[in-house]
Amino acid sequence: MTGTTRVPKAELTGIGGRLVKTFSRRMFGEVPEPAEVMWHHRAVVLNMSALGRKVDKWDTVDPNLKSFAHMAVASLVGCTWCLDFGYFHAHNEGLDVEKAREVPRWRESDVFTPLERRVMEYAEAMSQTPTVVTDELAAALLKELGPAGLVELTASVAFANMSTRTNSALGIEAQGFAAACELRPLAPKTVVQA
């Protein structure tokens, strides 16, 4: 559950704050902690949220694949908030929650298809510094997803890195969203050999 963030939560005030609280409670049952922490710089939280909503509307790549990719990034980076919310999102959007639960240990799990494994491998490879995406991996995904799909997946993983690293750096931790939809606790994280 939540600990102490590195930046204190701000009171969501004014018309914008009331709107964020109203819509957040309607959509999620409570206000997401990242919104409260980042409310100190309203343009940042509003623009990141707007970008996230736009990323969610891209529809060339299967939503399950993008969800698994985002959660693979979150697991690699250590963003417990994004993993927690990822399970909640998968549950509420009718995605494959059984597979979503297994993302942190995707290498050991036998529930994923070869394409799903490549997508998570790509997400992790893209998230390394420097990136370690191989020509072979990109070519396999290009063949399976097509040019528009690979561009969309890449941009989705880039957004996942922005949001997970922001939350992680600010000390924002799991908020209990997964428990609210009765998903079991997070699977153990896969150890990545470098």
Side-chain angles (χ1 to χ4, degrees):
M1 294 306 276
T2 57
T4 303
T5 58
R6 293 187 177 108
V7 173
K9 295 177 187 177
E11 180 65 31
L12 277 70
T13 58
I15 294 171
R18 282 193 300 276
L19 288 172
V20 169
K21 286 191 269 191
T22 299
F23 286 112
S24 293
R25 288 181 180 138
R26 202 175 292 157
M27 292 172 65
F28 314 122
E30 62 184 297
V31 177
E33 196 168 75
E36 295 173 311
V37 170
M38 289 190 270
W39 194 252
H40 291 286
H41 195 306
R42 291 179 183 138
V44 170
V45 71
L46 295 175
N47 289 328
M48 283 182 70
S49 296
L51 178 58
R53 286 189 304 276
K54 289 179 181 186
V55 169
D56 284 344
K57 290 181 182 179
W58 298 339
D59 62 359
T60 301
V61 176
D62 179 89
N64 280 298
L65 293 176
K66 290 192 295 187
S67 178
F68 301 157
H70 192 119
M71 292 175 72
V73 171
S75 182
L76 180 73
V77 170
C79 181
T80 61
W81 192 92
C82 291
L83 281 173
D84 180 38
F85 189 78
Y87 294 127
F88 177 83
H89 174 75
H91 177 265
N92 288 349
E93 297 297 317
L95 302 178
D96 191 328
V97 293
E98 295 304 318
K99 287 184 177 182
R101 289 180 179 138
E102 295 292 319
V103 169
R105 54 181 297 277
W106 69 267
R107 282 184 171 77
E108 295 86 26
S109 178
D110 60 359
V111 301
F112 296 106
T113 67
L115 174 58
E116 292 164 343
R117 289 179 181 287
R118 275 189 289 283
V119 164
M120 290 182 282
E121 180 183 358
Y122 185 78
E124 287 186 358
M126 232 187 103
S127 302
Q128 302 293 323
T129 303
T131 60
V132 292
V133 174
T134 64
D135 291 341
E136 296 78 19
L137 178 57
L141 286 169
L142 179 63
K143 183 177 180 181
E144 292 176 296
L145 301 175
L150 184 53
V151 168
E152 181 178 315
L153 176 64
T154 302
S156 295
V157 170
F159 176 77
N161 268 278
M162 180 180 73
S163 58
T164 60
R165 291 175 187 278
T166 298
N167 290 338
S168 183
L170 292 173
I172 298 168
E173 297 176 358
Q175 193 170 338
F177 286 109
C181 55
E182 300 179 5
L183 288 173
R184 68 178 188 239
L186 306 178
K189 182 178 176 183
T190 298
V191 177
V192 178
Q193 302 295 328

